[in-house]
Amino acid sequence: MLSVRRFVNDFEGLNAAVSRSSSAGGTLRILFVHGMGHHAPGYSQLLMQGIASRLNLSNNESSPRIPIAKESHDYGEINIANYSGSDGKRVRVYELTWSATTDEIKTKQFATDATYASNRVLVNRELKAQLIDDALADPVLYIGRYRNHMQFPLMRAVEAVLHDYQPQDEIAIITYSLGSYMCYDTLLKMSRGESIMGEKAYSADVVRDLIGHTNYVFMLANQLPLLELSEVSNPLPLKQASNTAVKALAEIRRQNKPRSILQRQQTPPALHLVAFSDPNDLLSYPLDQSSISTGAIAYSNVVISVERSAILGIFVSPLTAHTGHDKSKAVMDLLAFGHQGTDRKTVSEHR
C-alpha cells in the first residue's frame, strides 16, 4: 500500500470560495475540463458529489445538456448542475466533455494498428490502446494544426459560464491533465477578443472580468511543465523563456480585480494554481517555482498517492494513477478544505 503525501505551499479549498461568493451575494461557478483520452459525460459527478457532501451542499437540479456541434461535426457537450446549502450558499457546475472532438480521428488513424492488437500480450495491448492511441494522441493533436478545433468546445463552455456570470460571483476551475493547458490557452485567446473556428459570440472585456474573479485553478494530474515545452523557441533555460499563457492570464487577472469592496478585500492577491500529481503517474508533474511563480501567480504542489496499490511492490498502473482522483477521499478533502500547514484535520486518511 502506498501513502505518499507531500505539500509545497498552503492553499484554500472550495469551501473558502463558496463562503466568499455567498458573502457577496453571488454564486461559486466551477468549470470542469477533462484531459487526454476518452471521457463520457458525467465524468466529474463522483468527484463533485464527494466535494458537495463535505461542504453540506445538495444537488438541486440539472439543466438540459448543451450539445456542441459545427459543420456536422460533434465537438462534445456541456452539462450543468446546481448545488445549494441550507445557509444559502450556491454552486453551479459546468462540466465540459470534449472527447468527441478527437475520438473519430484517433479511431481512423490507428485502425490498421488495431488489427495487430491480438498479437500483443495483455498488459502491452492495454497500454498501447489506452495510453498511446487514446490518451497521448490528444496532446499530439493539440500542439499541432488541430488546436483551434480542440479549443472550440472549451470556448463554448466558457460562453456557458459567461451567460450566467454576475460580478459578485467567484470562479473556480478544476482541470485534468491536458485540460489545464487547453484551458489557459483558450482563455488567453478569448481575453484578446480572437475568434475560434470563425466564431466570437462573447465580449473580451467580460472574459477578462471573469478571469479577474478566478482565484483558484485545481489541476489534477498536472501536465503543464511537459506541455509548455511546445512553447520553447530557443536553447535558453526554460525560466528565461517568453511568458506562457498562464503567466499572461495571471497578469490579466491582476488588472481585472473584483469590483465590490467585500470581494476586493477577501480575494487572494494572486492567481493560485494547485497541482495534484501521483509520483507513479508517468504523465504528471509538480510545478516548478522558477518557471511558474511570479508576483501575479501563487502555486502549491500536492504529491499524493492516487493509486495506492503496488503490484508485488514494484509496479503501479500509470493509468489509474493518472485518472483515479474521483476515488480518493484525500483528494476530495483537499479540494473541499485545502491544506494549511501540518493540520492533519483538513485531510482524512485514505480508505
Side-chain angles (χ1 to χ4, degrees):
M1 296 298 291
L2 305 171
S3 58
V4 176
R5 190 158 60 192
R6 296 173 56 189
F7 301 92
V8 175
N9 300 330
D10 294 343
F11 60 95
E12 294 178 323
L14 291 169
N15 62 327
V18 173
S19 296
R20 276 194 301 268
S21 58
S22 179
S23 297
T27 299
L28 172 63
R29 304 190 184 279
I30 304 176
L31 172 62
F32 276 89
V33 183
H34 71 74
M36 61 185 190
H38 177 78
H39 288 71
Y43 66 86
S44 69
Q45 286 184 2
L46 280 177
L47 187 64
M48 189 60 217
Q49 287 170 0
I51 295 170
S53 67
R54 286 158 173 75
L55 302 183
N56 296 316
L57 300 173
S58 301
N59 186 199
N60 298 333
E61 58 180 346
S62 297
S63 302
R65 63 182 284 270
I66 303 174
I68 308 172
K70 184 178 176 67
E71 297 173 351
S72 75
H73 184 72
D74 181 13
Y75 285 85
E77 63 184 72
I78 302 160
N79 288 279
I80 300 175
N82 297 300
Y83 294 81
S84 64
S86 57
D87 52 2
K89 293 177 180 175
R90 299 188 302 271
V91 175
R92 189 166 171 89
V93 176
Y94 304 77
E95 178 199 77
L96 169 64
T97 307
W98 55 263
S99 285
T101 307
T102 61
D103 281 346
E104 186 177 349
I105 294 170
K106 292 183 292 186
T107 299
K108 289 181 178 179
Q109 185 74 6
F110 304 128
T112 300
D113 183 70
T115 64
Y116 294 90
S118 60
N119 299 116
R120 300 185 182 109
V121 296
L122 178 61
V123 173
N124 294 56
R125 182 167 68 243
E126 291 301 310
L127 287 175
K128 181 70 180 294
Q130 297 181 41
L131 187 62
I132 309 299
D133 296 353
D134 184 42
L136 280 178
D138 281 330
V140 173
L141 281 167
Y142 189 75
I143 64 176
R145 298 180 181 179
Y146 202 60
R147 178 177 295 206
N148 219 27
H149 293 265
M150 295 174 72
Q151 290 175 337
F152 181 72
L154 225 162
M155 178 190 74
R156 285 279 186 251
V158 174
E159 286 178 349
V161 178
L162 291 174
H163 180 268
D164 302 331
Y165 167 74
Q166 299 295 323
Q168 62 269 31
D169 295 339
E170 184 167 329
I171 313 296
I173 303 175
I174 299 177
T175 60
Y176 300 74
S177 64
L178 175 62
S180 306
Y181 191 68
M182 291 174 61
C183 188
Y184 297 139
D185 219 14
T186 306
L187 279 173
L188 181 58
K189 183 175 284 191
M190 294 178 72
S191 72
R192 293 171 174 167
E194 299 176 21
S195 65
I196 298 176
M197 295 288 290
E199 297 189 20
K200 181 183 172 296
Y202 58 86
S203 163
D205 289 338
V206 178
V207 172
R208 287 192 290 268
D209 191 43
L210 181 144
I211 293 170
H213 285 71
T214 303
N215 295 327
Y216 276 86
V217 181
F218 298 94
M219 303 183 294
L220 307 182
N222 172 50
Q223 290 183 319
L224 206 57
L226 177 65
L227 294 167
E228 283 185 343
L229 285 174
S230 67
E231 301 175 24
V232 175
S233 59
N234 59 61
L236 294 175
L238 284 177
K239 64 182 179 181
Q240 296 179 19
S242 59
N243 277 351
T244 57
V246 65
K247 290 183 179 179
L249 285 174
E251 181 59 25
I252 291 171
R253 184 195 175 283
R254 188 186 65 80
Q255 296 172 4
N256 292 268
K257 295 179 180 178
R259 294 169 184 159
S260 76
I261 295 176
L262 180 61
Q263 288 176 305
R264 190 182 300 274
Q265 290 175 339
Q266 294 185 344
T267 300
L271 174 64
H272 201 126
L273 312 182
V274 183
F276 287 73
S277 57
D278 185 316
N280 291 297
D281 176 3
L282 305 182
L283 297 169
S284 71
Y285 300 81
L287 293 172
D288 177 68
Q289 182 175 4
S290 64
S291 61
I292 201 69
S293 186
T294 70
I297 305 176
Y299 80 99
S300 299
N301 281 321
V302 178
V303 181
I304 190 167
S305 296
V306 174
E307 171 54 65
R308 299 198 66 218
S309 300
I311 300 173
L312 300 178
I314 60 171
F315 176 77
V316 171
S317 168
L319 292 171
T320 51
H322 191 73
T323 61
H325 302 85
D326 59 358
K327 299 178 180 63
S328 171
K329 293 184 178 182
V331 169
M332 294 179 189
D333 286 346
L334 288 164
L335 288 171
F337 304 119
H339 179 264
Q340 301 295 325
T342 58
D343 182 7
R344 292 186 174 273
K345 290 186 290 184
T346 61
V347 183
S348 68
E349 293 298 320
H350 288 276
R351 295 178 185 175

